[in-house]
Amino acid sequence: APKPPFITSTLQQDASNKFSWPSKKTMNVAQSLFGAGLITYHRTDSIRVESDKIDSARDKVEAIYGKNFLSSSKKNWKNANAAQDAHEAIRPTYEQVPTNLMQDEKKLLKLITGRFLASQMSDAKIDKTTINIKSDSGKKYVFATSGDVVSFEGFFKAYGGIKAGATLPKVTKGQSLNKKSIENAKNLTKAPGRYTDASLVKKLEKEGVGRPSTYASIIDTLENRGYIKREKKTLCATEIGIMVSDYLSSNFPSIVSTNFTIKMEEALDKIAGGSLEYIPVMKTFYNKINKSIEDAVRLPLPKSFHVDTE
């Protein structure tokens, strides 16, 4: 089934996966497209789309790809409870693509347009087949293999990215096969891979840390301060980054926990809504942080550890 139109986090993840772009570059290119009036606001966590724009997208799908690629009913995407609904999802706003766009702008605009059109298209149909091969030897081994066959592209026609699985030979049930060779391969469980821009943004969103406008700046700040570095597509912690993390985790455990950020966001929303008062909330926070600072400054810093006074 197709996915909803882009929000900030999914746009960053897709651009990272497809173009190997860091989040900062994705937001810079999106800012350029928004400034030119070619897309809606690119800092949003809402998948809502205005009804008339959905109708327009459906007309374009039918005109470009044909009626069989159009979803049987209009898809009105609904937001999660935590989403802020001030802005629509990220969608194209142009009638005619300008000819003077830079190459990166064309790539991102094509990605946004494809995702938006795909959100109103029919499901793709993929035949999944598994072949089980039983051994006639004394030991009852069963060998299995699986593969995919795309029988209908559906929304992938506009969005791209479809990958069929292994191509399987034609066989019939009960058919006898001649063994050609057997290889015994040893597979060990691997440790989780390092974060990429895409996987880190996905994690931040899942944990409720930050807002759509802050994902790129969070990664950019860590990189500029030398706490992380890039190795090809992955983000790696530096020695100073590990030391800072250890120091903060030891002395300010409540502040660096994801729960702190979530609760603070909730409190600020309630202050804005009038159900909480500013001074009591900040007083509670100040008393805790002030005590933690007083305790921390009494401890000696690790060797070669220098703290920016700012």
Side-chain angles (χ1 to χ4, degrees), residues 13 16-17 193-204:
Q13 290 170 51
S16 174
N17 290 329
R194 293 186 184 275
Y195 281 118
T196 62
D197 280 74
S199 60
L200 182 54
V201 167
K202 187 175 182 179
K203 182 69 172 179
L204 290 171

Side-chain angles (χ1 to χ4, degrees), residues 79-182:
N79 285 315
N81 293 333
Q84 295 182 338
D85 201 31
H87 302 283
E88 285 185 79
I90 304 171
R91 61 169 178 82
T93 59
Y94 62 86
E95 290 298 326
Q96 193 71 32
V97 181
T99 57
N100 61 342
L101 291 180
M102 303 293 287
Q103 191 63 33
D104 286 342
E105 293 172 332
K106 290 179 182 177
K107 287 171 66 175
L108 193 62
L109 186 58
K110 183 179 179 181
L111 188 69
I112 292 169
T113 302
R115 175 81 168 226
F116 179 57
L117 293 179
S119 70
Q120 292 298 322
M121 293 176 70
S122 51
D123 295 352
K125 294 180 180 178
I126 301 174
D127 298 327
K128 294 183 177 291
T129 303
T130 299
I131 299 174
N132 294 311
I133 305 166
K134 295 181 180 179
S135 168
D136 285 336
S137 65
K139 296 181 179 179
K140 299 297 181 181
Y141 293 118
V142 176
F143 301 93
T145 185
S146 299
D148 299 338
V149 177
V150 180
S151 58
F152 180 65
E153 285 183 280
F155 70 93
F156 284 112
K157 189 80 171 176
Y159 190 48
I162 192 166
K163 293 181 180 179
T167 303
L168 299 178
K170 290 184 178 180
V171 295
T172 57
K173 188 174 182 179
Q175 178 181 345
S176 295
L177 304 177
N178 296 321
K179 183 188 72 175
K180 295 177 71 175
S181 64
I182 290 180

Side-chain angles (χ1 to χ4, degrees), residues 35-79:
L38 296 174
I39 62 171
T40 53
Y41 193 49
H42 52 294
R43 292 184 173 91
T44 177
D45 59 357
S46 171
I47 57 175
R48 174 184 60 83
V49 177
E50 297 293 343
S51 182
D52 61 322
K53 303 305 179 185
I54 294 177
D55 293 336
S56 177
R58 293 180 65 82
D59 290 341
K60 286 182 180 179
V61 168
E62 187 171 354
I64 297 171
Y65 303 107
K67 195 168 185 177
N68 58 325
F69 282 92
L70 190 65
S71 63
S72 57
S73 60
K74 188 174 177 179
K75 292 181 183 287
N76 291 298
W77 299 97
K78 301 296 184 182
N79 285 315

Side-chain angles (χ1 to χ4, degrees), residues 224-227 240 244 247-248 301 304-310:
N224 288 339
R225 293 184 180 178
Y227 297 157
I240 186 68
V244 168
Y247 182 78
L248 293 176
L301 290 173
S304 303
F305 188 93
H306 301 286
V307 180
D308 189 329
T309 54
E310 294 181 1

Side-chain angles (χ1 to χ4, degrees), residues 135-302:
S135 168
D136 285 336
S137 65
K139 296 181 179 179
K140 299 297 181 181
Y141 293 118
V142 176
F143 301 93
T145 185
S146 299
D148 299 338
V149 177
V150 180
S151 58
F152 180 65
E153 285 183 280
F155 70 93
F156 284 112
K157 189 80 171 176
Y159 190 48
I162 192 166
K163 293 181 180 179
T167 303
L168 299 178
K170 290 184 178 180
V171 295
T172 57
K173 188 174 182 179
Q175 178 181 345
S176 295
L177 304 177
N178 296 321
K179 183 188 72 175
K180 295 177 71 175
S181 64
I182 290 180
E183 294 181 11
N184 184 19
K186 188 181 203 179
N187 292 322
L188 299 176
T189 303
K190 295 182 179 179
R194 293 186 184 275
Y195 281 118
T196 62
D197 280 74
S199 60
L200 182 54
V201 167
K202 187 175 182 179
K203 182 69 172 179
L204 290 171
E205 184 180 35
K206 181 181 179 182
E207 296 290 342
V209 177
R211 292 292 188 188
S213 60
T214 62
Y215 297 139
S217 62
I218 287 171
I219 298 173
D220 194 42
T221 298
L222 293 174
E223 191 174 7
N224 288 339
R225 293 184 180 178
Y227 297 157
I228 62 173
K229 62 180 179 180
R230 294 183 181 275
E231 290 185 1
K232 295 181 180 180
K233 290 179 65 174
T234 61
L235 303 172
C236 305
T238 62
E239 185 177 356
I240 186 68
I242 293 171
M243 292 172 69
V244 168
S245 178
D246 290 345
Y247 182 78
L248 293 176
S249 297
S250 297
N251 295 285
F252 305 93
S254 62
I255 303 298
V256 298
S257 72
T258 54
N259 283 335
F260 169 78
T261 304
I262 296 169
K263 289 179 180 178
M264 181 57 76
E265 291 276 8
E266 290 174 350
L268 293 174
D269 286 342
K270 289 179 180 179
I271 290 171
S275 59
L276 279 181
E277 293 186 13
Y278 170 74
I279 296 298
V281 171
M282 296 310 297
K283 187 175 181 180
T284 300
F285 166 71
Y286 176 80
N287 289 338
K288 289 182 178 178
I289 189 70
N290 193 48
K291 177 68 166 59
S292 298
I293 292 172
E294 289 176 348
D295 293 340
V297 295
R298 296 192 188 101
L299 301 174
L301 290 173

